[in-house]
Amino acid sequence: MLQALREIEGGIQLSLNVAVRAPRLAVPPIFESFLRQVYFTGVTAATGVVLRACLLGVIIIAVLMDMLDADVDLAVKILLLLVFRELGPLAAAAVVILRTGTAVSAEMAMMRISGQTRALRYLGIDLYDYLVLPRVAGVMLATAVLTFYVQFLAVLGGLALSPFIIEATFTELAGRLFELFTPVDFYYSVIKSLLFGYAVAACCCWHGLNPPDLTQNAVPKVVTRAVMQSAMLVLLINAVFAYVVFGILFFGLVKANV
Amino acid sequence: MSELALRYRRKSARHEIELSAPKGGVTRLHVPDEDAKAHLVTAMLKARCEPGEELELFGEAASTLAPAGRARLRAKVGAVSPIVGLVANLNAWENIALPAAYHGRPTLEQVAELARAVLGAFGADAAAFFARLPEELGVLERKLASFVRSLVAAPQLMIFDALEDGLSRAECLHTARFEAEYRARAPQGTLVYVDTREEA
């Protein structure tokens, strides 16, 4: 219980520190670190997710269209509401947790254990400025871009497979998709993916900087905790978003328009 | 009596240490064990003392200083010490330039010029040296990178913590150059060697 409270307090403190220090991103070494994080989280992940993202769309379409005996409208709705809005951001977040979350938490823990964070402090370099801020900002931006990329590929995969299952052409399906697509779908994904990125980066940074002890054995413990809690936070944020969009807002005062 | 750059006192269950270093001089401080050494170096680097410790830097008692005063004193202290190691995922140049790039002074051109001059005095090829990660550097080279990084801040008090630890006999011959390089750039600076061993 105490540990949980400590983690919540630490998370809030870290969030406030990051928010207050956002303008420091312009400082050259912090900006370089930010660019490096965007590269490792976004660019290097891009090629690896192509097949996975396409397969995601293909599998969802293949299973659901057969189960629901779908027509063009339902197929497009499945692609938009399920693949684009929900599974795309979740799949991107899973990639970020598995690739970046593990790397960030292990790197931070190693820096803490080997005394590199202490060395930075003695050099007058703030850890939030140099380590946390560029990672959080970089992971947020990269997650948003990666989410859009995964959504595009997953929907494309689904659209490519659909003509083999229902009687509709690729162009017919794509045209219907663009008719149904609203800016809300885009904003919804962007906001959600930014929050996913923030939650993953903040959680992994916090665990990395606060290992249970200062031995090598702490590193796997830190990574495990960071990954588990990041996944939990992502699912929690997704549940809140799903409730807000598909449920009733503000205790029934506002009815969400889907 | 000459003015002191450092006065340190620590009372623990095992030892009582009292050390001082005159301003502008070279002093060799010998402490009984690694723990005492870590406390001494940490106190100087933080300009802060723990219970049982007393520290004065340049005539100012650390215990009475406000955070701004401590930060001002900290800026006067540099160290080549395992406590202030290099950042593993940055190459030697990034390590050397990091504090200057972060604090915005001196300029990176000035840092590069200083680094090339010091590395040249040690017979190192600056371009090749800069590109290497800490794990690709030898013990002496890591100390050299750490030394150059400290020099960039033009410290008035330079600490050499166990400078010869981990060096071969041949490499130990180079360590005198650290003092000469520091003295050439800070003629009025104070140099403190800290070690756990008594001199032979």
Side-chain angles (χ1 to χ4, degrees), chain A residues 21 24 27-30 32 36 107 111 114-116 118-126 129-130 135, chain B residues 41-43 45-46 74 77 82-90 94-95 98-99 101-103 149-150:
Chain A
R21 283 154 211 268
R24 301 279 294 159
V27 175
I30 301 174
E32 276 167 31
R36 213 174 286 177
E107 181 198 19
M111 287 185 85
S114 63
Q116 292 174 55
R118 184 182 54 195
L120 286 173
R121 273 202 294 264
Y122 289 146
L123 295 168
I125 295 168
D126 190 289
D129 274 359
Y130 184 64
R135 279 165 181 77
Chain B
V41 175
T42 305
L45 286 169
K46 282 185 170 174
R74 271 202 301 268
V77 181
I83 292 175
V84 200
L86 302 175
V87 179
N89 60 1
L90 300 181
E94 288 167 331
N95 264 293
L98 178 62
Y102 179 82
H103 296 296
R149 186 179 62 182
S150 297

Side-chain angles (χ1 to χ4, degrees), chain B residues 111-169:
Chain B
V111 176
E113 196 182 321
L114 172 81
R116 281 200 194 94
V118 177
L119 293 173
F122 278 82
D125 172 17
F129 187 93
F130 285 158
R132 282 148 73 193
L133 288 168
E135 65 184 17
E136 296 165 340
L137 298 171
V139 180
L140 179 66
E141 289 170 321
R142 283 204 292 273
K143 287 180 194 249
L144 183 53
S146 182
F147 175 60
V148 176
R149 186 179 62 182
S150 297
L151 273 186
V152 168
Q156 293 175 32
L157 170 63
M158 177 66 97
I159 306 160
F160 286 156
D161 173 5
L163 193 59
E164 295 186 349
D165 269 16
L167 299 181
S168 66
R169 258 174 201 279

Side-chain angles (χ1 to χ4, degrees), chain A:
Chain A
M1 186 64 189
L2 263 178
Q3 175 69 14
L5 286 174
R6 196 175 143 246
E7 285 171 6
I8 292 168
E9 188 205 346
I12 293 168
Q13 213 167 45
L14 186 140
S15 307
L16 291 175
N17 268 303
V18 168
V20 168
R21 283 154 211 268
R24 301 279 294 159
L25 259 184
V27 175
I30 301 174
F31 189 67
E32 276 167 31
S33 186
F34 164 76
L35 290 181
R36 213 174 286 177
Q37 193 60 58
V38 171
Y39 176 77
F40 283 117
T41 305
V43 180
T44 60
T47 47
V49 298
V50 173
L51 189 64
R52 292 174 184 88
C54 286
L55 284 176
L56 180 75
V58 167
I59 290 165
I60 295 294
I61 283 294
V63 173
L64 286 183
M65 287 174 103
D66 189 47
M67 272 172 61
L68 301 172
D69 196 18
D71 58 1
V72 174
D73 261 6
L74 188 56
V76 169
K77 271 189 178 169
I78 288 170
L79 278 175
L80 197 61
L81 298 182
L82 192 64
V83 178
F84 191 89
R85 275 195 190 177
E86 298 305 321
L87 293 180
L90 273 180
V95 171
V96 171
I97 291 172
L98 292 174
R99 294 182 85 255
T100 306
T102 48
V104 166
S105 52
E107 181 198 19
M108 292 268 203
M110 282 304 295
M111 287 185 85
R112 180 76 209 283
I113 289 161
S114 63
Q116 292 174 55
T117 53
R118 184 182 54 195
L120 286 173
R121 273 202 294 264
Y122 289 146
L123 295 168
I125 295 168
D126 190 289
L127 298 187
Y128 281 108
D129 274 359
Y130 184 64
L131 294 179
V132 179
L133 175 63
R135 279 165 181 77
V136 171
V139 172
M140 281 174 79
L141 178 65
T143 307
V145 176
L146 197 64
T147 297
F148 189 67
Y149 184 64
V150 169
Q151 285 170 322
F152 173 76
L153 290 171
V155 169
L156 192 71
L159 284 179
L161 182 79
S162 300
F164 297 105
I165 303 172
I166 58 172
E167 283 181 16
T169 63
F170 179 86
T171 37
E172 197 180 341
L173 283 161
R176 189 77 188 107
L177 184 78
F178 285 120
E179 274 172 36
L180 280 181
F181 186 85
T182 62
V184 173
D185 294 311
F186 179 71
Y187 299 138
Y188 176 82
S189 303
V190 170
I191 294 169
K192 201 159 78 165
S193 59
L194 286 173
L195 281 174
F196 283 173
Y198 174 76
V200 173
C203 181
C204 293
C205 283
W206 192 85
H207 279 289
L209 289 176
N210 295 280
D213 54 69
L214 295 180
T215 64
Q216 300 283 334
N217 294 335
V219 179
K221 289 180 198 165
V222 163
V223 175
T224 308
R225 273 190 201 172
V227 167
M228 293 304 288
Q229 286 191 9
S230 298
M232 194 64 215
L233 282 171
V234 163
L235 290 174
L236 191 70
I237 292 168
N238 203 48
V240 170
F241 264 76
Y243 175 77
V244 167
V245 173
F246 296 107
I248 296 166
L249 290 179
F250 306 117
F251 307 101
L253 291 174
V254 180
K255 181 98 178 170
N257 188 16
V258 185

